[in-house]
């Protein structure tokens, strides 16, 4: 199982980078997780459309889905050029039916996932936990039976995240705010909360992602590290975890 960061900004991308987007590879299947602004352009540094077997979306905020339309146009153009006839499944919650409707268009087909029901894509299994966020959003626990990666997506801290992340090999946690700031209202976590989560869940490694456009990210790293003694990394494009 290989997990690679493509985009790691919250809200909007800085130059030559993207907001939320990750790629999971396992036994020949390639799954994109979230498709934020700038994501497709950065993704093409590493993968082609033909490589993508599916897309899993955490929620419908722009910084997680902005390039969905670009993917649909890319498939449309390549269909016209007879370069592909593939249909890419896009998995998301149906909590907001209007948002979900957008997923079936040109070369993409919407498929619903649900909390409490595992989703299997190729050799990997996804389970979902609804998070605390202004728009309906789901954290993902991904396993191939041997190794486990947890992606918090967007959320403020809540205790169920600890069990959901328990003993993961890698926890990819949104870190939108610095220690001492109040993330609850906006539905986001601080570096301190993320470090405590990693510690309480006994994960092996912690990545900080969905990074803010202010302050010094090294401070986020240091504040998380105060709470968690395992490996901590700041997400950046191309950062990769292999098991
Ligand atoms: Zn976000
Ligand atoms: Zn969000």
């Amino acid at each position: 199982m290989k997990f690679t960061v493509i985009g790691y900004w919250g809200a909007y991308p800085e130059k030559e980078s993207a907001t939320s987007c990750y790629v999971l590879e396992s036994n020949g299947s390639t799954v994109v997780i979230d498709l934020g602004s700038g994501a497709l352009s950065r993704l093409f540094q590493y993968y082609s459309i033909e490589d993508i077997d599916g897309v899993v979306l955490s929620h419908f905020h722009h910084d997680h889905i902005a390039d969905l339309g670009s993917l649909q146009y890319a498939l449309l153009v390549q269909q016209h050029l007879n370069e592909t006839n593939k249909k890419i499944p896009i998995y998301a919650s149906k909590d907001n039916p209007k948002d979900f409707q957008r997923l079936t268009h040109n070369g993409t087909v919407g498929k619903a996932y649900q909390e409490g029901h595992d989703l299997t894509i190729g050799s990997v299994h996804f389970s979902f936990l609804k998070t605390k966020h202004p728009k309906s959003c789901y954290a993902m626990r991904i396993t191939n039976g041997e190794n486990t990666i947890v992606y918090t997506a967007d959320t403020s801290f809540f205790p169920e995240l600890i069990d959901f992340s328990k003993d993961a090999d890698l926890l990819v946690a949104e870190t939108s705010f610095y220690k001492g700031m109040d993330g609850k209202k906006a539905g986001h976590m601080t570096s301190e909360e993320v470090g405590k989560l990693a510690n309480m869940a006994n994960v092996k490694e912690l990545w900080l992602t969905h990074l803010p456009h202010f302050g010094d990210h090294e401070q986020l790293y240091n504040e998380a590290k105060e709470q968690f003694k395992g490996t901590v990394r700041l997400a950046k494009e191309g950062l990769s975890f292999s098991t």
Side-chain angles (χ1 to χ4, degrees):
M1 202 154 61
K2 185 179 175 195
F3 184 91
T4 305
V5 175
I6 302 296
Y8 56 92
W9 290 106
Y12 67 93
E14 299 280 351
K15 64 182 178 184
E16 293 175 12
S17 54
T19 64
S20 304
C21 184
Y22 311 89
V23 174
L24 181 79
E25 290 174 70
S26 181
N27 270 355
S29 58
T30 302
V31 179
V32 176
I33 298 169
D34 282 344
L35 198 59
S37 42
L40 205 59
S41 169
R42 305 316 298 176
L43 193 67
F44 287 159
Q45 311 275 331
Y46 309 90
Y47 302 93
S48 73
I49 290 249
E50 281 302 311
D51 296 327
I52 302 172
D53 297 306
V55 178
V56 184
L57 300 177
S58 64
H59 68 307
F60 284 85
H61 273 156
H62 296 306
D63 53 333
H64 299 255
I65 54 135
D67 270 8
L68 176 61
S70 309
L71 175 64
Q72 289 167 334
Y73 275 170
L75 285 161
L76 181 68
V77 169
Q78 296 204 357
Q79 282 161 7
H80 280 304
L81 297 173
N82 290 321
E83 286 179 8
T84 188
N85 57 5
K86 86 184 283 180
K87 294 258 183 217
I88 297 182
I90 304 200
Y91 302 89
S93 149
K94 243 183 183 168
D95 290 352
N96 298 293
K98 269 202 169 142
D99 289 330
F100 188 83
Q101 266 178 13
R102 295 175 52 197
L103 302 181
T104 300
H105 190 63
N106 295 335
T108 64
V109 184
K111 292 189 183 279
Y113 65 64
Q114 270 183 298
E115 195 177 59
H117 296 265
D118 273 14
L119 165 69
T120 301
I121 307 176
S123 61
V124 276
H125 307 283
F126 287 72
S127 54
F128 300 93
L129 175 69
K130 191 164 190 171
T131 71
K132 306 287 183 207
H133 196 58
K135 191 145 191 155
S136 176
C137 178
Y138 289 84
M140 303 170 197
R141 186 177 173 99
I142 307 156
T143 182
N144 63 356
E146 284 176 24
N147 298 103
T148 299
I149 296 169
V150 172
Y151 168 49
T152 66
D154 284 11
T155 187
S156 57
F157 177 77
F158 63 109
E160 288 85 352
L161 276 175
I162 301 168
D163 247 7
F164 191 71
S165 308
K166 204 81 192 164
D167 298 326
D169 297 283
L170 173 65
L171 172 63
V172 182
E174 76 115 288
T175 314
S176 300
F177 292 117
Y178 293 82
K179 179 181 173 179
M181 296 178 76
D182 182 8
K184 272 247 162 354
K185 203 165 160 216
H188 291 296
M189 289 193 283
T190 69
S191 48
E192 183 181 33
E193 289 171 322
V194 162
K196 283 183 177 169
L197 170 61
N199 181 45
M200 288 186 286
N202 191 40
V203 304
K204 291 202 179 75
E205 185 164 335
L206 168 66
W207 288 3
L208 314 182
T209 193
H210 201 275
L211 300 177
H213 296 271
F214 53 90
D216 178 357
H217 292 166
E218 282 302 314
Q219 186 184 332
L220 294 175
Y221 171 90
N222 291 332
E223 290 166 350
K225 195 77 186 151
E226 281 170 16
Q227 306 296 334
F228 176 64
K229 298 305 166 210
T231 303
V232 179
R233 291 184 208 281
L234 285 167
K236 62 177 183 180
E237 183 182 313
L239 179 64
S240 198
F241 178 90
S242 294
T243 60

